[in-house]
Amino acid sequence: MVSQLSTDIIVRNFQKGDFPLLGELYQGVTAKENATFWWVGEEANWCNVFCGFENGKMIAKGQVRIINTIPPGRSEENKHSIYVNLKTLPERDNDADLLEKVYQHLLQRALELKGTLPGTHQTMLCVGNVSSEGNNQFFTQMGYKHLNSLYQMKRDLLEPIPVLTLDEDFDFSYWKMESPEEEKDYLNVEATIWPDAPLGLERLSEYKSKALWTSMVIRHNDTIVAGSMAWREEDEGVIEDVFVQEPWRKRGFAKFLLAKALEYLKSHELKSAHLMVETTNLSALSLYKSVGFEVEKEEIRYYTELK
């Protein structure tokens, strides 16, 4: 799909031969501190990636991706979410014409993706950028509203990691979820923790494809009490989906899982780990700080109804 939008600018889907130009754009974007840049992924994903070219140079790249799919039967207040990531060379951050041209392709693709989601719930189109990024203004001027804000927190794995223990009635294990039944068991529990943003099978499968991925769970008999995940992304560890079911909260299970995740990542010779937390979640912030995490940057998320 190619669109000649002006004498100078072409917008089209990403192609294999674009990798050198993508690398140059990536270097330009990430040279600016704390930019959020999505990589293009495998070829099957390139239908969701649109690039802007000018005089043979890639000057912009955008992507769309389904993040949350709400299963039928959930509250009507819960909504599917599709996210967009749009980046230009730093000197074109405020080029509204360029941003608009790429955005229109992303919007059309988002509408196509919306058509694949269950019609039982509405869909939000969202964007998440570091608070200092220049194109936040573009989205707010397009009518996007504030959704939430998150801190990315970082932990030095060379610092001592607390050694914690469990009561003998509880069992800890690494869990690979190798069967569809195991995945379903996990997702059913996880969806009760975040009913408005359940992980879903597609994103779980994506996480499981990450380098060094593992899940960690605490069980009481056969019941999943608490869980978390960890993997490697580039040269850093990631911790995600830390939860404790309601009846077992405030017993130190989340802190135990965090310590285990840090140990796991350190055992694979990673030097640091990061995670995300909503800025308003004061109890989680206190928990993460208690095991050595520090706030690195803030991400602001905006949304609009996708109709």
Side-chain angles (χ1 to χ4, degrees), residues 67-225:
I67 294 295
N68 293 116
T69 303
I70 306 300
R74 305 291 181 185
S75 167
E76 291 184 1
E77 295 180 357
N78 300 328
K79 299 176 182 178
H80 310 303
S81 61
I82 298 174
Y83 271 72
V84 58
N85 180 259
L86 176 55
K87 293 291 174 283
T88 67
L89 289 172
E91 60 269 24
R92 307 291 284 268
D93 267 353
N94 298 311
D95 187 335
D97 183 53
L98 171 61
L99 290 165
E100 173 69 17
K101 288 172 180 176
V102 180
Y103 176 77
Q104 286 303 319
H105 285 71
L106 299 173
L107 177 60
Q108 181 58 44
R109 180 56 181 158
L111 289 168
E112 293 170 0
L113 291 173
K114 177 191 174 185
T116 69
L117 299 174
T120 52
H121 291 80
Q122 295 181 324
T123 302
M124 296 188 299
L125 184 58
C126 309
V127 62
N129 282 329
V130 176
S131 57
S132 58
E133 288 192 65
N135 72 16
N136 285 324
Q137 185 177 5
F138 169 78
F139 288 98
T140 57
Q141 289 178 343
M142 293 282 290
Y144 279 67
K145 300 175 183 178
H146 182 263
L147 178 63
N148 56 27
S149 299
L150 301 97
Y151 289 133
Q152 177 169 303
M153 303 185 76
K154 188 171 183 177
R155 212 277 193 183
D156 184 350
L157 294 177
L158 300 180
E159 293 295 322
I161 297 170
V163 178
L164 304 174
T165 58
L166 282 177
D167 293 341
E168 60 182 18
D169 291 339
F170 297 88
D171 298 308
F172 167 81
S173 64
Y174 296 97
W175 188 24
K176 294 298 184 182
M177 299 185 215
E178 294 175 330
S179 72
E181 291 76 17
E182 289 177 306
E183 292 178 335
K184 184 178 179 180
D185 288 344
Y186 179 86
L187 291 173
N188 283 341
V189 173
E190 199 267 356
T192 67
I193 306 297
W194 292 289
D196 57 338
L199 185 64
L201 182 58
E202 184 175 341
R203 200 143 56 100
L204 174 60
S205 299
E206 179 192 337
Y207 287 170
K208 289 177 67 175
S209 71
K210 303 281 190 181
L212 301 180
W213 176 88
T214 189
S215 74
M216 291 155 278
V217 292
I218 297 171
R219 287 185 172 91
H220 179 62
N221 298 324
D222 292 329
T223 301
I224 299 171
V225 169

Side-chain angles (χ1 to χ4, degrees), residues 151 153 155 255 258 275 282-295:
Y151 289 133
M153 303 185 76
R155 212 277 193 183
K255 189 170 185 177
L258 286 166
L275 51 74
L282 300 183
S283 61
L285 279 167
S286 177
L287 167 66
Y288 298 145
K289 289 178 180 179
S290 75
V291 293
F293 280 92
E294 297 179 352
V295 173

Side-chain angles (χ1 to χ4, degrees), residues 9-21:
I9 297 175
I10 294 174
V11 177
R12 62 165 171 78
N13 285 107
F14 181 81
Q15 300 173 3
K16 186 175 181 180
D18 296 331
F19 273 110
L21 296 176

